[in-house]
Amino acid sequence: MNSFDKLYKPGKMTLGIEFPLDNDWSTEGNRKRLEDNRPFGVPDISNHLALAKQIDEAGFAALWMRDVPVYDPNFGDGAQLFDTLPYLGYLAAATKNILLGTAAIVLPLQQPIKLAKAAATIENLSDGRLLLGLGLGDRPVEFLMYGINYQERPKLFKAHLKIMQEAWKTESDLSQFYPFLNQDVAVYPKPKNKIPLVIAGYSGQSMEWIAKNANGWFNYPKTPEETYLNQKKWCEALYDADQACKPYISAFHLNLLKDDNAEFRPHRFGGGVGVNHLTELLKTYEEIGVNHMALHLRKSETPVSESIAKIEEKVLPYFGI
């Protein structure tokens, strides 16, 4: 079974959670951050393992994390702090059912052979639960530190992906990328199953290219109206590429308000709402074609563990396979 078979069925939407598992952008979370003397955007992840297991056991479809090599105060976001690839391996052993997704690894910064080997390792050890999301990267300081030309990102994205896909083949020929090779070499392990590729945003490519080369598209948090237009573009590109339906994935910055009956209050990238109105809000996205929604809880006024429990009880039964 492909990982995407667990993620969605056409016309249905599943729910996931996006790291970090902290609510440090809420009023109480920010107060605690100041007490801990943490820079803005550097989360408290001390309870991450218990929360990851809670999310897995609750029945969410996926856990998503991002690749942030260095903390840049200009962005004010340290993601989940832990390095993406070893952390995925750790979570593969610590969880049982949930899909493990990256949204996204900055592909132009990666050595493609190393990433191909790491991704295949995680795919093997997680029993096929890896969703490999790849992105372009948007933090210039990282490219300066890596000695990579920021303007070369789109070209490197394509080139690195081709090398990875060749490395995963049972019979691979890496000499086409490395002409100096005077002997046969191979990268092991090989994936047990085809690793699903998710492209985050446009990654410097055309929509047509994404439709042909990706198994799913992870677009950034948008209003329902904006999401509808983007999902329509995605479907049209798939149709032009003579492709069957592929997942449209998005995220939502959720402030789960302490008043369970609170009406929806929009904010950038999402909004605040009581749990009793969350289902109807998410159904709006399902109806316009979103196949999977990753909930981001950093703004939540309700503590993360309590938020997960409330969503499990009152919302999750309405979404899933």
mmCIF file of all heavy atoms in Angstrom, residues 217-252:
data_model
loop_
_atom_site.group_PDB
_atom_site.id
_atom_site.type_symbol
_atom_site.label_atom_id
_atom_site.label_comp_id
_atom_site.label_asym_id
_atom_site.label_seq_id
_atom_site.Cartn_x
_atom_site.Cartn_y
_atom_site.Cartn_z
ATOM 1 N N TRP A 217 0.868 17.878 -3.808
ATOM 2 C CA TRP A 217 1.265 19.288 -3.715
ATOM 3 C C TRP A 217 0.875 19.825 -2.355
ATOM 4 O O TRP A 217 -0.274 19.734 -1.951
ATOM 5 C CB TRP A 217 0.597 20.101 -4.822
ATOM 6 C CG TRP A 217 1.124 21.515 -4.949
ATOM 7 C CD1 TRP A 217 2.389 21.946 -4.736
ATOM 8 C CD2 TRP A 217 0.372 22.665 -5.347
ATOM 9 N NE1 TRP A 217 2.492 23.294 -4.972
ATOM 10 C CE2 TRP A 217 1.265 23.771 -5.353
ATOM 11 C CE3 TRP A 217 -0.956 22.879 -5.698
ATOM 12 C CZ2 TRP A 217 0.863 25.061 -5.678
ATOM 13 C CZ3 TRP A 217 -1.353 24.157 -6.037
ATOM 14 C CH2 TRP A 217 -0.449 25.241 -6.034
ATOM 15 N N PHE A 218 1.870 20.351 -1.612
ATOM 16 C CA PHE A 218 1.631 20.950 -0.298
ATOM 17 C C PHE A 218 1.671 22.459 -0.489
ATOM 18 O O PHE A 218 2.731 23.040 -0.686
ATOM 19 C CB PHE A 218 2.713 20.511 0.697
ATOM 20 C CG PHE A 218 2.343 20.731 2.145
ATOM 21 C CD1 PHE A 218 2.373 19.674 3.051
ATOM 22 C CD2 PHE A 218 1.990 21.980 2.615
ATOM 23 C CE1 PHE A 218 2.050 19.866 4.392
ATOM 24 C CE2 PHE A 218 1.656 22.184 3.943
ATOM 25 C CZ PHE A 218 1.691 21.121 4.832
ATOM 26 N N ASN A 219 0.512 23.086 -0.431
ATOM 27 C CA ASN A 219 0.455 24.535 -0.598
ATOM 28 C C ASN A 219 0.296 25.203 0.757
ATOM 29 O O ASN A 219 -0.222 24.617 1.705
ATOM 30 C CB ASN A 219 -0.692 24.933 -1.516
ATOM 31 C CG ASN A 219 -0.425 26.252 -2.214
ATOM 32 O OD1 ASN A 219 0.641 26.838 -2.078
ATOM 33 N ND2 ASN A 219 -1.394 26.727 -2.960
ATOM 34 N N TYR A 220 0.742 26.435 0.820
ATOM 35 C CA TYR A 220 0.808 27.152 2.089
ATOM 36 C C TYR A 220 -0.580 27.539 2.584
ATOM 37 O O TYR A 220 -1.547 27.557 1.815
ATOM 38 C CB TYR A 220 1.707 28.378 1.924
ATOM 39 C CG TYR A 220 3.107 27.999 1.524
ATOM 40 C CD1 TYR A 220 3.546 28.168 0.211
ATOM 41 C CD2 TYR A 220 3.977 27.409 2.436
ATOM 42 C CE1 TYR A 220 4.825 27.789 -0.170
ATOM 43 C CE2 TYR A 220 5.253 27.026 2.068
ATOM 44 C CZ TYR A 220 5.673 27.216 0.760
ATOM 45 O OH TYR A 220 6.924 26.823 0.389
ATOM 46 N N PRO A 221 -0.711 27.860 3.879
ATOM 47 C CA PRO A 221 -2.025 28.209 4.430
ATOM 48 C C PRO A 221 -2.666 29.371 3.688
ATOM 49 O O PRO A 221 -2.051 30.420 3.484
ATOM 50 C CB PRO A 221 -1.705 28.590 5.880
ATOM 51 C CG PRO A 221 -0.425 27.881 6.189
ATOM 52 C CD PRO A 221 0.348 27.869 4.911
ATOM 53 N N LYS A 222 -3.909 29.171 3.287
ATOM 54 C CA LYS A 222 -4.653 30.176 2.545
ATOM 55 C C LYS A 222 -6.087 30.226 3.076
ATOM 56 O O LYS A 222 -6.560 29.305 3.733
ATOM 57 C CB LYS A 222 -4.701 29.823 1.047
ATOM 58 C CG LYS A 222 -3.348 29.593 0.382
ATOM 59 C CD LYS A 222 -2.625 30.879 0.085
ATOM 60 C CE LYS A 222 -1.341 30.623 -0.709
ATOM 61 N NZ LYS A 222 -0.588 31.864 -0.967
ATOM 62 N N THR A 223 -6.788 31.297 2.743
ATOM 63 C CA THR A 223 -8.214 31.367 3.040
ATOM 64 C C THR A 223 -8.941 30.341 2.170
ATOM 65 O O THR A 223 -8.396 29.874 1.150
ATOM 66 C CB THR A 223 -8.774 32.764 2.736
ATOM 67 O OG1 THR A 223 -8.661 33.010 1.320
ATOM 68 C CG2 THR A 223 -8.016 33.843 3.506
ATOM 69 N N PRO A 224 -10.171 29.984 2.513
ATOM 70 C CA PRO A 224 -10.916 29.050 1.656
ATOM 71 C C PRO A 224 -11.020 29.538 0.213
ATOM 72 O O PRO A 224 -10.909 28.737 -0.724
ATOM 73 C CB PRO A 224 -12.289 28.978 2.330
ATOM 74 C CG PRO A 224 -12.009 29.239 3.768
ATOM 75 C CD PRO A 224 -10.902 30.261 3.765
ATOM 76 N N GLU A 225 -11.210 30.838 0.029
ATOM 77 C CA GLU A 225 -11.349 31.381 -1.327
ATOM 78 C C GLU A 225 -10.046 31.207 -2.114
ATOM 79 O O GLU A 225 -10.054 30.780 -3.282
ATOM 80 C CB GLU A 225 -11.731 32.860 -1.261
ATOM 81 C CG GLU A 225 -13.103 33.145 -0.664
ATOM 82 C CD GLU A 225 -13.151 33.048 0.858
ATOM 83 O OE1 GLU A 225 -12.058 33.029 1.494
ATOM 84 O OE2 GLU A 225 -14.259 32.973 1.418
ATOM 85 N N GLU A 226 -8.910 31.525 -1.482
ATOM 86 C CA GLU A 226 -7.609 31.371 -2.144
ATOM 87 C C GLU A 226 -7.291 29.893 -2.371
ATOM 88 O O GLU A 226 -6.738 29.512 -3.413
ATOM 89 C CB GLU A 226 -6.516 32.007 -1.291
ATOM 90 C CG GLU A 226 -6.601 33.517 -1.189
ATOM 91 C CD GLU A 226 -5.646 34.078 -0.153
ATOM 92 O OE1 GLU A 226 -5.566 33.509 0.961
ATOM 93 O OE2 GLU A 226 -4.988 35.083 -0.447
ATOM 94 N N THR A 227 -7.646 29.065 -1.396
ATOM 95 C CA THR A 227 -7.394 27.632 -1.518
ATOM 96 C C THR A 227 -8.175 27.047 -2.679
ATOM 97 O O THR A 227 -7.661 26.209 -3.437
ATOM 98 C CB THR A 227 -7.766 26.911 -0.208
ATOM 99 O OG1 THR A 227 -6.975 27.432 0.859
ATOM 100 C CG2 THR A 227 -7.529 25.410 -0.311
ATOM 101 N N TYR A 228 -9.411 27.473 -2.843
ATOM 102 C CA TYR A 228 -10.244 26.986 -3.948
ATOM 103 C C TYR A 228 -9.579 27.262 -5.293
ATOM 104 O O TYR A 228 -9.510 26.381 -6.161
ATOM 105 C CB TYR A 228 -11.622 27.644 -3.902
ATOM 106 C CG TYR A 228 -12.452 27.395 -5.140
ATOM 107 C CD1 TYR A 228 -13.087 26.179 -5.340
ATOM 108 C CD2 TYR A 228 -12.571 28.380 -6.127
ATOM 109 C CE1 TYR A 228 -13.825 25.938 -6.484
ATOM 110 C CE2 TYR A 228 -13.303 28.155 -7.269
ATOM 111 C CZ TYR A 228 -13.931 26.932 -7.442
ATOM 112 O OH TYR A 228 -14.657 26.690 -8.591
ATOM 113 N N LEU A 229 -9.056 28.473 -5.468
ATOM 114 C CA LEU A 229 -8.417 28.840 -6.729
ATOM 115 C C LEU A 229 -7.144 28.028 -6.971
ATOM 116 O O LEU A 229 -6.877 27.586 -8.097
ATOM 117 C CB LEU A 229 -8.099 30.337 -6.742
ATOM 118 C CG LEU A 229 -9.317 31.278 -6.726
ATOM 119 C CD1 LEU A 229 -8.868 32.733 -6.609
ATOM 120 C CD2 LEU A 229 -10.166 31.075 -7.976
ATOM 121 N N ASN A 230 -6.348 27.807 -5.911
ATOM 122 C CA ASN A 230 -5.118 27.028 -6.056
ATOM 123 C C ASN A 230 -5.408 25.555 -6.318
ATOM 124 O O ASN A 230 -4.722 24.909 -7.124
ATOM 125 C CB ASN A 230 -4.246 27.178 -4.810
ATOM 126 C CG ASN A 230 -3.443 28.458 -4.810
ATOM 127 O OD1 ASN A 230 -2.620 28.695 -5.688
ATOM 128 N ND2 ASN A 230 -3.679 29.305 -3.831
ATOM 129 N N GLN A 231 -6.417 25.017 -5.653
ATOM 130 C CA GLN A 231 -6.773 23.622 -5.885
ATOM 131 C C GLN A 231 -7.279 23.437 -7.315
ATOM 132 O O GLN A 231 -6.998 22.406 -7.960
ATOM 133 C CB GLN A 231 -7.842 23.181 -4.866
ATOM 134 C CG GLN A 231 -8.006 21.684 -4.719
ATOM 135 C CD GLN A 231 -8.959 21.075 -5.725
ATOM 136 O OE1 GLN A 231 -9.745 21.781 -6.352
ATOM 137 N NE2 GLN A 231 -8.917 19.760 -5.856
ATOM 138 N N LYS A 232 -7.976 24.437 -7.830
ATOM 139 C CA LYS A 232 -8.466 24.383 -9.209
ATOM 140 C C LYS A 232 -7.292 24.369 -10.191
ATOM 141 O O LYS A 232 -7.283 23.608 -11.163
ATOM 142 C CB LYS A 232 -9.373 25.578 -9.480
ATOM 143 C CG LYS A 232 -10.063 25.554 -10.842
ATOM 144 C CD LYS A 232 -11.003 26.726 -11.001
ATOM 145 C CE LYS A 232 -11.670 26.695 -12.374
ATOM 146 N NZ LYS A 232 -12.569 27.874 -12.564
ATOM 147 N N LYS A 233 -6.258 25.205 -9.927
ATOM 148 C CA LYS A 233 -5.059 25.219 -10.774
ATOM 149 C C LYS A 233 -4.385 23.846 -10.759
ATOM 150 O O LYS A 233 -3.911 23.352 -11.786
ATOM 151 C CB LYS A 233 -4.066 26.265 -10.270
ATOM 152 C CG LYS A 233 -4.458 27.702 -10.520
ATOM 153 C CD LYS A 233 -3.383 28.621 -9.960
ATOM 154 C CE LYS A 233 -3.774 30.082 -10.076
ATOM 155 N NZ LYS A 233 -2.729 30.959 -9.462
ATOM 156 N N TRP A 234 -4.323 23.246 -9.580
ATOM 157 C CA TRP A 234 -3.701 21.941 -9.423
ATOM 158 C C TRP A 234 -4.447 20.890 -10.250
ATOM 159 O O TRP A 234 -3.834 20.117 -10.989
ATOM 160 C CB TRP A 234 -3.693 21.568 -7.951
ATOM 161 C CG TRP A 234 -3.191 20.207 -7.571
ATOM 162 C CD1 TRP A 234 -3.874 19.255 -6.871
ATOM 163 C CD2 TRP A 234 -1.886 19.644 -7.827
ATOM 164 N NE1 TRP A 234 -3.090 18.146 -6.663
ATOM 165 C CE2 TRP A 234 -1.868 18.367 -7.240
ATOM 166 C CE3 TRP A 234 -0.761 20.109 -8.485
ATOM 167 C CZ2 TRP A 234 -0.762 17.536 -7.300
ATOM 168 C CZ3 TRP A 234 0.350 19.275 -8.548
ATOM 169 C CH2 TRP A 234 0.342 18.009 -7.956
ATOM 170 N N CYS A 235 -5.752 20.890 -10.161
ATOM 171 C CA CYS A 235 -6.554 19.917 -10.920
ATOM 172 C C CYS A 235 -6.397 20.125 -12.414
ATOM 173 O O CYS A 235 -6.302 19.161 -13.185
ATOM 174 C CB CYS A 235 -8.022 20.031 -10.523
ATOM 175 S SG CYS A 235 -8.389 19.400 -8.877
ATOM 176 N N GLU A 236 -6.354 21.374 -12.841
ATOM 177 C CA GLU A 236 -6.203 21.661 -14.268
ATOM 178 C C GLU A 236 -4.839 21.209 -14.773
ATOM 179 O O GLU A 236 -4.723 20.673 -15.876
ATOM 180 C CB GLU A 236 -6.400 23.159 -14.520
ATOM 181 C CG GLU A 236 -7.845 23.610 -14.345
ATOM 182 C CD GLU A 236 -8.002 25.124 -14.410
ATOM 183 O OE1 GLU A 236 -6.967 25.828 -14.404
ATOM 184 O OE2 GLU A 236 -9.154 25.590 -14.451
ATOM 185 N N ALA A 237 -3.796 21.411 -13.963
ATOM 186 C CA ALA A 237 -2.455 20.972 -14.365
ATOM 187 C C ALA A 237 -2.388 19.451 -14.456
ATOM 188 O O ALA A 237 -1.753 18.898 -15.365
ATOM 189 C CB ALA A 237 -1.417 21.490 -13.375
ATOM 190 N N LEU A 238 -3.037 18.766 -13.556
ATOM 191 C CA LEU A 238 -3.067 17.310 -13.591
ATOM 192 C C LEU A 238 -3.796 16.818 -14.830
ATOM 193 O O LEU A 238 -3.368 15.861 -15.487
ATOM 194 C CB LEU A 238 -3.740 16.764 -12.326
ATOM 195 C CG LEU A 238 -2.941 16.893 -11.034
ATOM 196 C CD1 LEU A 238 -3.819 16.631 -9.829
ATOM 197 C CD2 LEU A 238 -1.756 15.940 -11.039
ATOM 198 N N TYR A 239 -4.887 17.489 -15.144
ATOM 199 C CA TYR A 239 -5.655 17.097 -16.325
ATOM 200 C C TYR A 239 -4.813 17.285 -17.585
ATOM 201 O O TYR A 239 -4.759 16.415 -18.463
ATOM 202 C CB TYR A 239 -6.926 17.934 -16.411
ATOM 203 C CG TYR A 239 -7.759 17.650 -17.652
ATOM 204 C CD1 TYR A 239 -8.584 16.526 -17.711
ATOM 205 C CD2 TYR A 239 -7.693 18.499 -18.757
ATOM 206 C CE1 TYR A 239 -9.335 16.267 -18.841
ATOM 207 C CE2 TYR A 239 -8.443 18.243 -19.890
ATOM 208 C CZ TYR A 239 -9.265 17.121 -19.934
ATOM 209 O OH TYR A 239 -10.001 16.862 -21.059
ATOM 210 N N ASP A 240 -4.103 18.417 -17.668
ATOM 211 C CA ASP A 240 -3.256 18.692 -18.830
ATOM 212 C C ASP A 240 -2.116 17.690 -18.944
ATOM 213 O O ASP A 240 -1.640 17.393 -20.042
ATOM 214 C CB ASP A 240 -2.681 20.118 -18.755
ATOM 215 C CG ASP A 240 -3.762 21.178 -18.938
ATOM 216 O OD1 ASP A 240 -4.843 20.827 -19.460
ATOM 217 O OD2 ASP A 240 -3.526 22.335 -18.552
ATOM 218 N N ALA A 241 -1.654 17.184 -17.795
ATOM 219 C CA ALA A 241 -0.566 16.200 -17.785
ATOM 220 C C ALA A 241 -1.084 14.770 -17.917
ATOM 221 O O ALA A 241 -0.311 13.821 -17.825
ATOM 222 C CB ALA A 241 0.239 16.345 -16.497
ATOM 223 N N ASP A 242 -2.377 14.640 -18.132
ATOM 224 C CA ASP A 242 -3.008 13.329 -18.272
ATOM 225 C C ASP A 242 -2.733 12.460 -17.046
ATOM 226 O O ASP A 242 -2.398 11.284 -17.147
ATOM 227 C CB ASP A 242 -2.509 12.624 -19.544
ATOM 228 C CG ASP A 242 -3.395 11.426 -19.918
ATOM 229 O OD1 ASP A 242 -4.585 11.433 -19.550
ATOM 230 O OD2 ASP A 242 -2.887 10.498 -20.560
ATOM 231 N N GLN A 243 -2.890 13.061 -15.875
ATOM 232 C CA GLN A 243 -2.637 12.381 -14.617
ATOM 233 C C GLN A 243 -3.941 12.179 -13.845
ATOM 234 O O GLN A 243 -4.855 12.996 -13.932
ATOM 235 C CB GLN A 243 -1.675 13.198 -13.750
ATOM 236 C CG GLN A 243 -0.290 13.379 -14.339
ATOM 237 C CD GLN A 243 0.562 12.147 -14.197
ATOM 238 O OE1 GLN A 243 0.310 11.306 -13.344
ATOM 239 N NE2 GLN A 243 1.581 12.033 -15.020
ATOM 240 N N ALA A 244 -3.991 11.082 -13.100
ATOM 241 C CA ALA A 244 -5.130 10.861 -12.219
ATOM 242 C C ALA A 244 -5.041 11.806 -11.034
ATOM 243 O O ALA A 244 -4.041 12.487 -10.828
ATOM 244 C CB ALA A 244 -5.134 9.409 -11.746
ATOM 245 N N CYS A 245 -6.088 11.827 -10.245
ATOM 246 C CA CYS A 245 -6.151 12.722 -9.090
ATOM 247 C C CYS A 245 -4.977 12.475 -8.144
ATOM 248 O O CYS A 245 -4.617 11.335 -7.863
ATOM 249 C CB CYS A 245 -7.468 12.504 -8.355
ATOM 250 S SG CYS A 245 -7.692 13.576 -6.935
ATOM 251 N N LYS A 246 -4.367 13.547 -7.683
ATOM 252 C CA LYS A 246 -3.290 13.484 -6.702
ATOM 253 C C LYS A 246 -3.633 14.405 -5.543
ATOM 254 O O LYS A 246 -4.361 15.387 -5.716
ATOM 255 C CB LYS A 246 -1.960 13.917 -7.326
ATOM 256 C CG LYS A 246 -1.439 13.004 -8.421
ATOM 257 C CD LYS A 246 -0.120 13.543 -8.972
ATOM 258 C CE LYS A 246 0.448 12.664 -10.058
ATOM 259 N NZ LYS A 246 1.734 13.196 -10.597
ATOM 260 N N PRO A 247 -3.094 14.139 -4.349
ATOM 261 C CA PRO A 247 -3.499 14.903 -3.170
ATOM 262 C C PRO A 247 -3.128 16.379 -3.233
ATOM 263 O O PRO A 247 -2.032 16.744 -3.653
ATOM 264 C CB PRO A 247 -2.740 14.224 -2.021
ATOM 265 C CG PRO A 247 -2.408 12.874 -2.527
ATOM 266 C CD PRO A 247 -2.214 13.021 -3.998
ATOM 267 N N TYR A 248 -4.062 17.196 -2.780
ATOM 268 C CA TYR A 248 -3.814 18.610 -2.499
ATOM 269 C C TYR A 248 -3.742 18.725 -0.986
ATOM 270 O O TYR A 248 -4.697 18.407 -0.269
ATOM 271 C CB TYR A 248 -4.933 19.490 -3.052
ATOM 272 C CG TYR A 248 -4.716 20.975 -2.831
ATOM 273 C CD1 TYR A 248 -4.193 21.772 -3.833
ATOM 274 C CD2 TYR A 248 -5.027 21.576 -1.606
ATOM 275 C CE1 TYR A 248 -3.980 23.138 -3.642
ATOM 276 C CE2 TYR A 248 -4.816 22.927 -1.398
ATOM 277 C CZ TYR A 248 -4.299 23.704 -2.417
ATOM 278 O OH TYR A 248 -4.090 25.047 -2.218
ATOM 279 N N ILE A 249 -2.596 19.179 -0.489
ATOM 280 C CA ILE A 249 -2.327 19.227 0.948
ATOM 281 C C ILE A 249 -2.112 20.673 1.358
ATOM 282 O O ILE A 249 -1.494 21.447 0.625
ATOM 283 C CB ILE A 249 -1.074 18.397 1.292
ATOM 284 C CG1 ILE A 249 -1.239 16.958 0.801
ATOM 285 C CG2 ILE A 249 -0.787 18.413 2.788
ATOM 286 C CD1 ILE A 249 0.049 16.146 0.819
ATOM 287 N N SER A 250 -2.621 21.048 2.517
ATOM 288 C CA SER A 250 -2.396 22.400 3.012
ATOM 289 C C SER A 250 -2.248 22.371 4.532
ATOM 290 O O SER A 250 -2.237 21.307 5.145
ATOM 291 C CB SER A 250 -3.538 23.331 2.596
ATOM 292 O OG SER A 250 -3.187 24.681 2.821
ATOM 293 N N ALA A 251 -2.108 23.558 5.110
ATOM 294 C CA ALA A 251 -1.928 23.688 6.555
ATOM 295 C C ALA A 251 -2.836 24.790 7.076
ATOM 296 O O ALA A 251 -3.342 25.624 6.310
ATOM 297 C CB ALA A 251 -0.471 23.988 6.892
ATOM 298 N N PHE A 252 -3.025 24.795 8.385
ATOM 299 C CA PHE A 252 -3.890 25.789 9.018
ATOM 300 C C PHE A 252 -3.321 26.107 10.398
ATOM 301 O O PHE A 252 -3.122 25.200 11.208
ATOM 302 C CB PHE A 252 -5.312 25.247 9.153
ATOM 303 C CG PHE A 252 -6.334 26.276 9.560
ATOM 304 C CD1 PHE A 252 -7.034 26.998 8.607
ATOM 305 C CD2 PHE A 252 -6.598 26.523 10.907
ATOM 306 C CE1 PHE A 252 -7.976 27.939 8.977
ATOM 307 C CE2 PHE A 252 -7.529 27.468 11.282
ATOM 308 C CZ PHE A 252 -8.226 28.179 10.320
#
